[in-house]
Amino acid sequence: MPPNPVARQTWRMVGLAVVAVAIVGLIAWWQFSHVAGTGRGHDQGTATAIPPGVELGGPFTLVDSQGQTVTEQDFLGKPLLIYFGYTYCPDVCPTELGTIAAALDQLGPEGAHSQPVFVSVDPERDKPEDMGEYVEMFHPRLIGLTGSPEQVAKAAKAWRVYYAKVELTGPDDYAMDHSAYSYLMGADGKLLAVFPHQTPPAEMARVIREKLAG
Ligand code: NI
């Protein structure tokens, strides 16, 4: 018995709907994996859209450059611009911290109430005083946090920061492979924006201004 035209039409609609759902799903997946930053690449571009339901950040316990323990409670009420990296980083981290510094300078008084934070993913080598000396080179308001390997791992996990040791020649010589996004967190601790590596400072400043004004 041949299928009647109404049934055929219905099946065609169902087929189209399945394809549409698959496409939307693929886009959502791509954006999610992009934001999560689990890849090794250092993407460049502008602020990454945050898919609905994606939340980054959370409670952390780390150590400041004076050796004092700090937690997220110490930053409540302040928007954070947070970036994870390490002081031995040859290129990506210095570039990104330079971008953050330039964006803050462009923001001027508008960005004065936000707190830029650099968190080490190399606690083995980055001791509190090293972090202090390092961040001073980039911006007077930038603070550097490190901690025990466990403390760092917990903070990195909260922001879904990927990092891994890469052995180089020599027993003590290694690099850290790590994702390189900057995260703008609101005063309430909620994620407001994600900046891939090589976001231009002007773009970063523009998005921070927009997000903190809204
Ligand atoms: Ni780096």
Side-chain angles (χ1 to χ4, degrees):
M1 185 171 119
N4 71 54
V6 174
R8 196 182 299 159
Q9 184 79 7
T10 305
W11 280 111
R12 188 175 295 153
M13 295 304 285
V14 168
L16 282 174
V18 167
V19 169
V21 166
I23 289 170
V24 168
L26 267 175
I27 291 169
W29 172 82
W30 181 85
Q31 287 195 331
F32 181 81
S33 52
H34 202 69
V35 165
T38 49
R40 294 186 163 213
H42 291 124
D43 314 53
Q44 45 178 292
T46 56
T48 303
I50 303 164
V54 170
E55 288 184 18
L56 299 180
F60 61 83
T61 302
L62 292 164
V63 176
D64 71 12
S65 60
Q66 307 298 313
Q68 301 295 313
T69 297
V70 292
T71 73
E72 76 287 349
Q73 296 291 324
D74 294 299
F75 300 101
L76 275 186
K78 270 188 174 186
L80 293 186
L81 186 58
I82 186 164
Y83 175 76
F84 291 74
Y86 68 117
T87 67
Y88 285 74
C89 185
D91 47 21
V92 175
C93 293
T95 308
E96 192 60 23
L97 293 173
T99 296
I100 287 172
L104 289 170
D105 286 344
Q106 289 184 24
L107 280 167
E110 286 180 278
H113 62 300
S114 62
Q115 178 62 64
V117 182
F118 177 51
V119 182
S120 176
V121 293
D122 186 13
E124 207 175 299
R125 288 185 297 198
D126 287 340
K127 298 306 168 197
E129 60 275 21
D130 304 324
M131 295 301 287
E133 283 172 20
Y134 188 72
V135 296
E136 263 178 25
M137 296 193 294
F138 294 94
H139 200 275
R141 289 186 31 241
L142 182 64
I143 63 169
L145 303 179
T146 183
S148 68
E150 294 76 21
Q151 289 171 331
V152 165
K154 193 181 171 211
K157 194 178 173 194
W159 271 270
R160 296 190 208 162
V161 170
Y162 159 85
Y163 65 103
K165 201 186 257 192
V166 179
E167 300 294 338
L168 303 175
T169 50
D172 300 324
D173 205 2
Y174 65 90
M176 297 301 293
D177 196 5
H178 65 96
S179 50
Y181 294 86
S182 298
Y183 308 92
L184 178 65
M185 311 301 294
D188 57 357
K190 297 283 182 199
L191 179 67
L192 293 178
V194 178
F195 303 100
H197 178 55
Q198 290 183 358
T199 298
E203 168 68 3
M204 190 180 276
R206 183 190 68 75
V207 173
I208 292 172
R209 186 180 291 123
E210 181 189 298
K211 296 289 181 185
L212 296 189

